[in-house]
Amino acid sequence: MTTGSRGLHRLEAALSGWDSPWSLCVVGEDQSQKFSQMSSALREPYSETGDGKYIASGFSYWGVASTMAWVHACSDLFYPVMRESIESFAQRWRQIAGELDGTPRHYVSLGTGTGQKDQTILDRLRQGREPGSLTYVPVDVSPEMLRLGQREALRHLDLPMGGVVPVQLDFANVRSVRELRRLVEHLVGDEPVLYSLLGNTLANFTDDTGLLTMLTGSLLRPQDRFLLEVARSAALDEDAAHEAAREYRSSPRFAEFVTSAIMEYTDLHIDMASVEYEPSVEDDRALKVKVVYRNRTGEQVLLTLPDRSGVEFPDGDTIRLLTTRKYSAAGLGKLLADAGAAEVTRTSSGLHSGFGETGFGMDLVLLRPAGEAADEAPAEVPAPNPFG
Ligand SMILES: C[S@@+](CC[C@H](N)C(=O)[O-])C[C@H]1O[C@@H](n2cnc3c(N)ncnc32)[C@H](O)[C@@H]1O
């Protein structure tokens, strides 16, 4: 049997080559636990407002069907949010990249998605470096997304496979994030790392400030940087919130994506007319849109989950499929300050107005750790060797 570094070396050789059918994936956590988390979220009590049963952010992308639905949504002309985010990314990144002070950095992408943005970032980070001196760690909860995103990210780039370590884990889980930091330190030592959370992914989390605090606090060392991309709104009022909801409601592909998880993991008969987009203004910080699936059949439905257990889904009850936000400039400033992250620089796409007067766009912000907490090593037992 081939073991240890010799085995890894041979594995790298097998993975290399443009026509290799293989992709590597380091699984960072117990998938059966994730499965039971999703089931218990669907057993939450009755709520007419989308505050009971829900699909947590990562699970929207978990299976093959959801991954494909996301890929289609990203290129939908009627869903400008992600399409514009992807198309305008290279230009915004060019300005940010100049502020990375020329330091060679490794790259850890939290939520790789379709991989185009990672390709743009890697292309810049590899310039002027020895082949093999750049480590790329794409991280995603969805194995299908990870495979697809990694392939797209590496297309046309001549990165040796030994420097590519895709990791499947839930970055909303603090234990997993601490383990990720240990893994990255095993891979790169003290060399500086650029982390990213792009595509307005942060806005999908109920406690967005808590997630950013946890990620920057657990991952960033003084020499590291964090690239955050979020959606922006020029105004925070009811009209703007309705415009934001309309942006999502107008895309049939987005509706297919957002219902794909309940289609895959329950036996619910999906009626697209039952997908509702509920706009609101969240304090003085963001426009918020909750996308819910409402039982409008007039009677109680019994949902069957993949473990064959049944869940009552009464008339009027909802399943929250997704939460999203667009932040005001002041709201974003407060979010960053509350998360204890210091802004190095920021670029904004032009603010477009889609269905009304309000300007919407994307901000790309480069962050560094603020305060002393970032210097502390995470307190826990040493990580197991992922290849052991
Ligand atoms: C909105 S997409 C953004 C994709 C990409 N970063 C971009 O900007 O185009 C969110 C991505 O994050 C992943 N994701 C969402 N929640 C996650 C979680 N809790 N843990 C790991 N990955 C997650 C999804 O699978 C998806 O690939």
Side-chain angles (χ1 to χ4, degrees):
M1 198 172 90
T2 311
T3 54
S5 60
R6 204 152 64 93
L8 284 177
H9 208 67
R10 289 187 180 178
L11 184 59
E12 184 184 346
L15 293 168
S16 298
W18 64 270
D19 58 348
S20 166
W22 304 108
S23 56
L24 187 71
C25 180
V26 179
V27 181
E29 59 199 359
D30 185 346
Q31 294 301 288
S32 58
Q33 256 179 31
K34 302 243 72 67
F35 205 66
S36 76
Q37 268 173 26
M38 189 191 60
S39 301
S40 66
L42 289 170
R43 290 199 189 92
E44 289 284 322
Y46 181 95
S47 165
E48 287 183 358
T49 54
D51 298 315
K53 301 174 182 56
Y54 67 98
I55 300 285
S57 171
F59 295 117
S60 316
Y61 306 81
W62 213 23
V64 186
S66 299
T67 298
M68 296 321 298
W70 175 247
V71 173
H72 292 153
C74 283
S75 59
D76 185 7
L77 292 176
F78 295 100
Y79 175 41
V81 187
M82 276 313 292
R83 194 170 44 80
E84 280 189 24
S85 158
I86 292 170
E87 283 175 4
S88 70
F89 184 79
Q91 197 190 2
R92 287 177 289 131
W93 159 247
R94 260 198 301 277
Q95 294 166 36
I96 293 269
E99 295 289 333
L100 282 170
D101 49 35
T103 311
R105 289 177 187 279
H106 302 282
Y107 180 46
V108 179
S109 167
L110 303 172
T112 305
T114 49
Q116 290 104 323
K117 292 179 191 169
D118 282 3
Q119 187 185 62
T120 305
I121 290 176
L122 288 167
D123 193 27
R124 175 74 180 230
L125 294 182
R126 77 186 172 134
Q127 282 173 19
R129 294 176 60 176
E130 290 292 313
S133 64
L134 166 64
T135 305
Y136 169 45
V137 183
V139 178
D140 211 290
V141 74
S142 156
E144 288 76 20
M145 195 68 90
L146 205 50
R147 179 175 161 96
L148 182 133
Q150 175 202 170
R151 288 188 160 236
E152 185 58 34
L154 298 175
R155 195 190 294 267
H156 314 306
L157 299 181
D158 200 16
L159 290 191
M161 286 311 290
V164 182
V165 184
V167 175
Q168 185 200 350
L169 61 68
D170 179 355
F171 59 62
N173 179 319
V174 65
R175 284 190 67 85
S176 301
V177 168
R178 287 186 181 139
E179 294 302 340
L180 175 65
R181 172 165 165 170
R182 288 179 204 284
L183 175 64
V184 171
E185 282 178 340
H186 277 294
L187 293 169
V188 308
D190 290 337
E191 293 176 8
V193 176
L194 175 68
Y195 289 89
S196 77
L197 182 63
L198 306 175
N200 205 27
T201 305
L202 183 68
N204 299 145
F205 290 80
T206 311
D207 181 9
D208 50 358
T209 307
L211 179 69
L212 189 63
T213 310
M214 185 275 278
L215 288 176
T216 52
S218 310
L219 291 172
L220 291 194
R221 305 162 301 173
Q223 66 271 38
D224 298 332
R225 296 290 177 267
F226 195 99
L227 189 63
L228 176 71
E229 187 185 39
V230 288
R232 263 247 289 122
S233 170
L236 282 194
D237 55 42
E238 290 299 324
D239 284 350
H242 278 93
E243 284 168 34
R246 246 175 102 185
E247 225 180 40
Y248 289 95
R249 195 184 296 118
S250 308
S251 166
R253 296 284 93 79
F254 182 77
E256 282 164 24
F257 157 67
V258 92
T259 50
S260 61
I262 44 170
M263 178 109 166
E264 195 154 325
Y265 299 115
T266 74
D267 60 349
L268 190 64
H269 169 76
I270 309 288
D271 163 23
M272 286 304 190
S274 302
V275 180
E276 298 179 7
Y277 299 77
E278 295 182 351
S280 61
V281 179
E282 192 181 47
D283 307 324
D284 54 354
R285 64 194 298 264
L287 306 175
K288 183 167 166 180
V289 179
K290 259 194 261 177
V291 188
V292 302
Y293 190 90
R294 188 180 303 282
N295 179 359
R296 288 152 145 248
T297 59
E299 50 196 50
Q300 173 154 291
V301 172
L302 192 68
L303 293 182
T304 309
L305 302 184
D307 62 1
R308 307 279 172 100
S309 65
V311 173
E312 289 174 359
F313 187 35
D315 186 44
D317 193 8
T318 55
I319 301 171
R320 191 176 71 245
L321 304 175
L322 187 113
T323 303
T324 187
R325 298 179 178 88
K326 290 181 192 288
Y327 299 90
S328 68
L332 177 56
K334 184 170 182 333
L335 169 68
L336 300 181
D338 290 350
E343 185 174 324
V344 178
T345 189
R346 178 193 305 213
T347 60
S348 304
S349 66
L351 294 182
H352 71 273
S353 44
F355 295 101
E357 293 299 305
T358 316
F360 294 146
M362 293 297 245
D363 273 14
L364 192 59
V365 195
L366 184 66
L367 302 169
R368 64 176 168 75
E372 301 198 347
D375 295 340
E376 288 167 17
E380 290 262 326
V381 288
N385 175 358
F387 303 112

